[in-house]
Amino acid sequence: MFCRVISAFCIAFILAVNSIFEVNGQSIDSLLYVLNDNLVKGDAEKYELLCEIASTSDNADTILKYSEQAIQLAEKLNKTPARPVVLKGIGYLNSGRLASALECFMKAANYYKADHHNEGLATAYLYISEVYNLQENHANANFYAKNAIEIYGKEKDSINLANALHNLGYSYYKVGQYDSALILFSRTSEIYQRLGYLKEYAYCMGNSGLVYSRQSEFEKAEDHLLSAIEILTKLGDDYAVTQYMIEYAGILQHRGEIRKAITCATKSFGYAKKNSILEFERDAAYRLARLYQASGKYDSAYHYQSLYINANDNIKSDENIQKMADLRTEFEVAKKQAEVDVLQKNKLIQLIVIVSLVLILLLAIGLILLYYHSLKRSQMLTVALDERRILLEKQSIELKEQNDKIFQANEKLKLLYETTSRQNDEIISSILYAQKIQSAIMPPEVYITELLNENFIFYKPKEIVSGDFYWIKQVKHYIILVSADCTGHGVPGAFMSMLGISCLNEIVQNREVTQANQILNELRKEIKHSLRQTGKKEESRDGMDMALCVIDSKKNILQYSGANNPLYIITNNNGESALKEIKADPMPVGVHFSSDKSFTNHEIQLEIGDSFYIFTDGFVDQIGGNNNHRFTSEKFKKLLLDIHDNPMYEQKEILEQTLKDWMGEHSQRDDILVIGVRCEVSV
């Protein structure tokens, strides 16, 4: 969070060293006065003044305006425009235009490299690293940060070396490489303390506290965070204090000090609101929503959850990630199910009424035919004219009565049709609303990418709502990833998926169970208890097939346990790729004749570049091709071997196109879910 502050300090330091125009201590207004009144002598001094204005201003538009003027003047002076190009990149960076910023910093790096200006080159590298950090491309960010560190080390520039190391440490923290981050924060804090940079030393303490909190070393985290908060409060740095107090509120919540945590988080929210720090306003609102939920104050929890969603939408408007409050989900789902049950019952009654009306209509047609038959006979039997006339009058009266009944029946049938159509629309609307609820409880793509950078999820429900679901959660340094196939699809399958997600949250997040087979054992108990399954024949056999992986991010060890669904892992040995199948236990998560048998736990040591895949049976069971056959597991394995070296997003596109070509005119048989993950380089 504070790496950009330190990077800005670096560039200001270098610009000051290179400047020949004496403006030390002058404000931006004073500099603009000198420029506008032409108080400079010649283009060379004007160039330096333009650079100083751009480097002194905090406004992005001002930086862009005067750095562009400096670039044009540098061309007139036949001077390398490296400095104003860096400043122009800072303007783009401050306004959020990352692609334009990256282009400027790359140009500046080339200028500095051609001029053998090592300090300037290192500064450009730091800004390139910062842009990649903001794009979540941490591999490139680390590469350029390390290049800057190497240059500052050779130049023996202690303060800028500390700044670069601190940036790299914060990048490691963002990708979960906590031990590496702590080493760098410790090293830089010694440098800042020795040189008397108190604020930067406080940043090191606070950022170390963030790392210790992620490692669940809460006592160390508390000591570092409180030390940083004390120093930065005295220095008037509300921005940094706000972030550290939000993290400290989380530590208090973990210890069960809910009231104290609420006080701390509320104060952080006030700071963020006062200083218009939208990102911290979002984080504080999220923390308060969780705290009020834990304390049973659901109205307050829902209020802060709404503030969190609004703030998050403003920060990332292109992602449209809206999370629903967990405390209202169960109520809304139960309400919609009751409505569906009533509509289904009414539908049966409507069918009975329609059949009755059809029978009445047929009877009326028969009476009309009888009337015409009688009329024909009356013409032939002139002898009995009077008698037939009386009979005809009587039949006419009866026919009128029947016509009235038919008219009334038609009106009722029309009304019934309109009612049925409206109720069908209401059923579809209810199912679409259920789809929104199911989508809301699925993990968002940005959260999955934060935990597993190299991944894809190919998710294609058969109907509006799905019986397949995926789920991911991080507990300490363990990442738990699940693909599951519930009994049935559509609405019944969707209800089973929400039951599975709810039970997984309880087992993993609340109980912190992190052994793969033990999670499945506990999940089976919860499913059987929730569905009241004891093994009797008359009971439901609902359950789910599942592949569950636990990734130890410290040791790079993968645990796998499966209920009917296997794991495929592809490794590279001496340049040759091989696919290995880890078979699942042949039993579901639910009632089964082997219900008391424990699931098997497999452990696999992952290597850099290994890929693994978990999936449901929808892809391999899909009918298609020339002979209308299943796709089969053999074709699926070969397909994965052919494409595993491609980037993960390309693998997903190939799977989608392959399935589309295979299906042709055939309809989709089942919900489809395939998840792929590639093991990344660890530092």
Side-chain angles (χ1 to χ4, degrees), residues 143 188 199 212 252 284 293 315 324 354 402 423 630 644:
F143 173 82
T188 54
K199 180 180 288 189
Y212 283 127
L252 293 173
Q293 182 183 13
I315 293 171
M324 298 186 66
I354 291 172
Q402 294 298 329
Q423 290 175 338
R630 295 171 57 252
H644 80 279

Side-chain angles (χ1 to χ4, degrees), residues 61-330:
D61 292 335
T62 300
I63 296 172
L64 290 171
K65 175 181 177 181
Y66 292 103
S67 61
E68 180 60 33
Q69 292 182 19
I71 292 170
Q72 295 175 5
L73 193 56
E75 293 176 356
K76 180 180 178 181
L77 294 169
N78 197 23
K79 187 181 185 71
T80 300
R83 286 171 58 201
V85 169
V86 169
L87 292 168
K88 186 177 181 181
I90 295 172
Y92 283 133
L93 187 62
N94 289 346
S95 62
R97 296 153 69 180
L98 300 183
S100 299
L102 184 61
E103 181 182 3
C104 288
F105 297 141
M106 287 291 189
K107 284 183 180 178
N110 289 332
Y111 286 134
Y112 283 130
K113 188 181 294 185
D115 292 341
H116 303 289
H117 193 307
N118 290 335
E119 282 189 338
L121 179 61
T123 299
Y125 282 160
L126 279 183
Y127 272 103
I128 293 170
S129 172
E130 180 59 21
V131 173
Y132 280 126
N133 261 328
L134 293 173
Q135 293 176 336
E136 300 296 328
N137 189 339
H138 300 298
N140 284 347
N142 290 351
F143 173 82
Y144 284 98
K146 289 176 181 177
N147 275 279
I149 290 169
E150 182 180 358
I151 293 173
Y152 285 136
K154 290 180 180 179
E155 296 294 324
K156 296 182 179 180
D157 186 343
S158 297
I159 183 60
N160 280 327
L161 175 61
N163 296 335
L165 289 170
H166 189 276
N167 283 5
L168 182 60
Y170 197 86
S171 179
Y172 284 159
Y173 159 69
K174 292 293 288 184
V175 298
Q177 297 176 13
Y178 299 129
D179 292 337
S180 300
L182 283 174
I183 292 172
L184 292 177
F185 289 152
S186 175
R187 182 177 174 186
T188 54
S189 67
E190 293 174 0
I191 297 174
Y192 289 136
Q193 192 174 28
R194 185 176 71 251
L195 297 177
Y197 286 87
L198 185 58
K199 180 180 288 189
E200 288 73 20
Y201 169 76
Y203 290 159
C204 288
M205 295 294 290
N207 290 346
S208 297
L210 297 179
V211 175
Y212 283 127
S213 180
R214 293 297 181 273
Q215 292 181 321
S216 299
E217 295 185 32
F218 297 114
E219 291 185 1
K220 290 184 178 179
E222 181 178 14
D223 291 339
H224 284 74
L225 289 171
L226 290 178
S227 296
I229 290 170
E230 180 181 0
I231 295 171
L232 294 169
T233 299
K234 293 179 180 178
L235 295 175
D237 192 341
D238 287 348
Y239 187 91
V241 170
T242 303
Q243 183 191 25
Y244 295 148
M245 287 185 68
I246 293 171
E247 190 67 29
Y248 181 53
I251 295 173
L252 293 173
Q253 180 182 6
H254 179 80
R255 290 210 305 250
E257 297 180 29
I258 302 299
R259 182 174 298 177
K260 188 175 180 182
I262 289 175
T263 301
C264 185
T266 302
K267 190 173 183 181
S268 302
F269 184 84
Y271 281 153
K273 197 78 174 175
K274 173 185 175 183
N275 295 290
S276 299
I277 310 172
L278 190 58
E279 184 177 8
F280 292 162
E281 182 180 338
R282 176 198 63 185
D283 295 343
Y286 178 84
R287 178 60 59 193
L288 285 166
R290 301 285 76 77
L291 287 166
Y292 279 121
Q293 182 183 13
S295 63
K297 297 180 179 179
Y298 297 112
D299 289 339
S300 296
Y302 187 75
H303 169 72
Y304 281 103
Q305 181 74 7
S306 300
L307 293 179
Y308 161 73
I309 292 171
N310 291 335
N312 201 38
D313 286 345
N314 290 334
I315 293 171
K316 299 181 178 180
S317 58
D318 59 319
E319 296 176 357
N320 292 321
I321 300 172
Q322 297 187 356
K323 298 182 178 178
M324 298 186 66
D326 291 340
L327 54 128
R328 293 183 178 262
T329 299
E330 184 177 351

